[in-house]
Amino acid sequence: MMKQPFSKMFTRKNDTRPFEDASAVEAFCRSSDCSLFCFGSHSKKRPHNLVLGRMFDYQLLDMFEFGVDGKSFQPMESFSRGRGADAIVRIGSKPLITFQGAQWQEESDYVDMKNFFVDFFRGQHDMPKINLAGIDRLINITVDSDGVIYIRQFSIKLKKSGTRIPKVALTEVGPRLDLNFRRRKSAPNELRKLSYKIPMEAKQRKKKNVSAGTLGVTEGRVHMHSQNLNKIRPKKTQAKALGQRKRKGKSYNDAEDGRPKRSRR
């Protein structure tokens, strides 16, 4: 997702402060048709500053500011890619995302941050099916008791284990980020409520009287008017008609209207 053609990088230096005025960032996102943005800056007051945010209708929805630990940071180039295809990560593949830490469920800022990270790293979300063999990377995001966020990325390799369950081998491929959470900015409640709404085109309409069973078999329900089973005349078979004629003392070739029997030729 962070590579082309899924992203666009601006290299020109601009005196932009997103937390003071987000109009410049909104204009860049509108011109590039982007809903997510990443802004990096460095100053004496805020060294190694990283701002991540997302848009709704080209308006700022969420924005988080982090401080990158320069001592522990390692780019992807500093990691050995392993031998052969053990550490190959394909561009555009869907990652596994795991979160560790109690703050992701207890503190409101980290709850919203968790939702943002999922939206930021998941990539394309209009894929109806995912092949498990195509999942080749894992993104682990951990927060400790001091609020420091650790982001690690691993490549996934399935190896033979002698059983039906393969052995999973993880190899760190970077980048390695230690982030200190500084501040955040959110949109007004009116805009947030609009972002939660699902458009009518994206809603799956429920079919009436159609459901799926426990085994995934589609089941349908048919509604009919009440019927009086006593008045239903079942179809008489040939064996049943023969039995009724024998009980009445008539042969099979006797006609019920008294007509003479036809001679066989």
Side-chain angles (χ1 to χ4, degrees):
M1 177 187 170
M2 303 298 294
K3 300 285 186 179
Q4 292 183 353
F6 303 103
S7 64
K8 186 174 182 179
M9 183 176 179
F10 293 94
T11 57
R12 183 179 299 178
K13 295 182 179 180
N14 296 289
D15 189 12
T16 305
R17 297 179 176 86
F19 275 84
E20 297 179 4
D21 186 12
S23 59
V25 178
E26 292 176 352
F28 287 139
C29 292
R30 184 180 295 105
S31 61
S32 303
D33 192 19
C34 297
S35 60
L36 302 166
F37 69 90
C38 175
F39 178 81
S41 62
H42 180 75
S43 64
K44 185 177 180 180
K45 183 179 180 180
R46 300 183 184 277
H48 308 296
N49 198 48
L50 181 66
V51 179
L52 303 176
R54 56 183 170 181
M55 299 285 176
F56 174 73
D57 195 17
Y58 304 115
Q59 300 181 41
L60 181 65
L61 183 63
D62 279 321
M63 185 165 52
F64 300 90
E65 186 180 67
F66 304 96
V68 181
D69 189 355
K71 297 180 180 180
S72 61
F73 171 74
Q74 292 186 22
M76 297 181 66
E77 291 77 8
S78 62
F79 291 89
S80 60
R81 295 303 179 90
R83 296 180 180 179
D86 289 345
I88 293 178
V89 176
R90 291 183 290 270
I91 298 176
S93 61
K94 300 285 287 186
L96 290 176
I97 305 176
T98 58
F99 293 88
Q100 293 180 334
Q103 288 90 331
W104 298 121
Q105 298 179 354
E106 295 177 356
E107 300 183 17
S108 60
D109 289 341
Y110 287 91
V111 170
D112 295 340
M113 194 185 303
K114 176 183 177 181
N115 180 271
F116 168 77
F117 279 136
V118 172
D119 201 13
F120 192 85
F121 289 115
R122 68 177 178 177
Q124 294 179 345
H125 57 277
D126 56 350
M127 304 175 69
K129 294 182 180 180
I130 298 176
N131 187 4
L132 294 179
I135 299 177
D136 56 1
R137 59 194 176 105
L138 165 69
I139 299 176
N140 179 262
I141 305 176
T142 306
V143 58
D144 60 7
S145 58
D146 297 331
V148 181
I149 302 171
Y150 304 93
I151 300 179
R152 304 290 186 267
Q153 183 175 208
F154 303 88
S155 67
I156 300 176
K157 182 66 176 180
L158 302 180
K159 298 183 178 181
K160 295 181 180 180
S161 62
T163 61
R164 296 181 59 185
I165 302 176
K167 179 182 178 181
V168 180
L170 299 179
T171 305
E172 188 174 0
V173 295
R176 182 182 296 178
L177 290 172
D178 295 347
L179 305 178
N180 296 305
F181 179 46
R182 290 176 176 173
R183 54 179 175 170
R184 66 168 295 184
K185 184 178 181 180
S186 300
N189 294 331
E190 293 78 8
L191 184 61
R192 296 188 69 86
K193 290 180 180 179
L194 289 175
S195 64
Y196 294 152
K197 291 185 178 180
I198 301 176
M200 296 297 297
E201 295 79 6
K203 288 184 178 180
Q204 295 182 357
R205 297 183 179 181
K206 184 178 179 180
K207 296 182 179 180
K208 293 183 178 180
N209 304 322
V210 177
S211 60
T214 55
L215 300 178
V217 180
T218 304
E219 299 177 353
R221 181 180 297 178
V222 180
H223 296 273
M224 299 179 64
H225 298 287
S226 58
Q227 298 179 356
N228 188 0
L229 301 180
N230 296 327
K231 295 182 178 180
I232 296 179
R233 299 181 61 183
K235 183 179 180 181
K236 294 182 180 181
T237 61
Q238 185 177 1
K240 187 176 180 180
L242 178 60
Q244 291 179 355
R245 291 190 179 94
K246 287 183 178 180
R247 286 194 296 270
K248 293 180 180 181
K250 298 181 180 180
S251 63
Y252 175 72
N253 293 323
D254 292 342
E256 294 181 356
D257 54 357
R259 291 182 296 178
K261 294 186 293 182
R262 293 182 178 180
S263 62
R264 293 185 179 180
R265 295 182 180 180

